């Protein structure tokens, strides 16, 4: 077992154990709110390591909590805690020169996550993913993991302040 896989397995199991009450609460909340509206989980086919497709599960919510079920994929070895952004098997980055991104498992987080995620142009996200594939090592993974939570908090704070300004402008 490589050090990266050991980090994924033990980190994923520890996070699942620590977050299990939150996962249960989100599941219950979504089940009550969305009864009969497609279920609690969203399913999407993604390309894993070597191009092996699997069905990725996320919660049907638009909050950072949506990704909690991804920990199951990390423990199963389909995903990694850190890696390139998961893409559908037919995506243009899964063929040709960019196919090398499939030499590693897709990640719950990565350089794309800590560098601005949806605010980045697609080409820049692609370059960050390929840089990770070509240069990843355990120290880089640990640094990305350490920067993920602050990056998510910054994005939430920025979107909250934008929403607050928009609301203030509407009230004026």
């Amino acid at each position: 077992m490589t050090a990266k896989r050991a980090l994924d397995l033990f980190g994923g199991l520890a996070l699942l154990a620590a977050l299990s009450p939150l996962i249960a609460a989100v599941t219950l909340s979504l089940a009550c709110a969305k009864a009969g509206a497609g279920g609690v989980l969203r399913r999407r086919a993604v390309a894993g390591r070597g191009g092996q497709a699997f069905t990725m599960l996320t919660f049907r919510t638009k909050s950072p909590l949506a990704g909690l079920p991804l920990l199951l994929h990390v423990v199963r070895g389909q995903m990694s805690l850190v890696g390139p952004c998961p893409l559908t098997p037919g995506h243009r980055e899964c063929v040709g020169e960019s196919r090398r991104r499939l030499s590693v498992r897709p990640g719950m987080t990565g350089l794309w996550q800590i560098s601005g995620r949806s605010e980045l142009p697609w080409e820049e996200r692609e370059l960050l993913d390929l840089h990770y594939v070509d240069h990843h090592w355990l120290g880089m993974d640990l640094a990305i993991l350490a920067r993920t939570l602050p990056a998510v908090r910054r994005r939430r704070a920025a979107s909250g302040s934008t929403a607050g300004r928009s609301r203030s402008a509407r009230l004026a």
Side-chain angles (χ1 to χ4, degrees):
M1 179 183 307
T2 67
K4 179 173 177 62
R5 180 65 188 129
L7 173 67
D8 286 343
L9 184 59
F10 297 119
L13 286 170
L15 286 168
L16 274 173
L19 297 172
S20 60
L22 180 60
I23 293 169
V26 171
T27 302
L28 183 61
S29 173
L30 289 172
C32 292
K34 298 187 181 284
V40 170
L41 296 172
R42 181 177 291 119
R43 291 164 173 76
R44 182 174 76 130
V46 296
R49 187 175 182 187
Q52 180 95 10
F54 68 94
T55 302
M56 185 173 79
L57 302 173
T58 56
F59 282 131
R60 289 186 181 272
T61 180
K62 294 186 181 197
S63 72
L65 302 175
L68 289 175
L70 297 178
L71 289 168
L72 296 170
H73 298 297
V74 171
V75 171
R76 291 184 65 193
Q78 296 168 314
M79 291 184 72
S80 180
L81 291 172
V82 180
C85 182
L87 298 174
T88 58
H91 194 276
R92 68 178 176 88
E93 285 188 51
C94 293
V95 296
E97 160 65 15
S98 296
R99 184 169 172 75
R100 73 181 193 268
R101 75 187 334 271
L102 300 176
S103 65
V104 298
R105 291 177 183 90
M108 286 185 65
T109 188
L111 288 173
W112 48 273
Q113 175 87 6
I114 63 172
S115 300
R117 198 177 179 175
S118 59
E119 294 83 26
L120 292 176
W122 186 256
E123 295 79 18
E124 197 169 330
R125 262 180 56 184
E126 180 178 6
L127 287 174
L128 287 169
D129 279 348
L130 293 177
H131 176 79
Y132 176 82
V133 168
D134 294 340
H135 303 286
H136 72 281
W137 61 289
L138 191 58
M140 178 186 263
D141 283 7
L142 293 172
I144 291 170
L145 286 170
R147 292 178 55 195
T148 296
L149 190 55
V152 170
R153 284 184 180 157
R154 274 193 311 275
R155 243 188 336 274
R156 276 193 14 212
S159 67
S161 65
T162 302
R165 282 195 303 263
S166 299
R167 188 171 162 203
S168 301
R170 284 192 309 262
L171 294 175

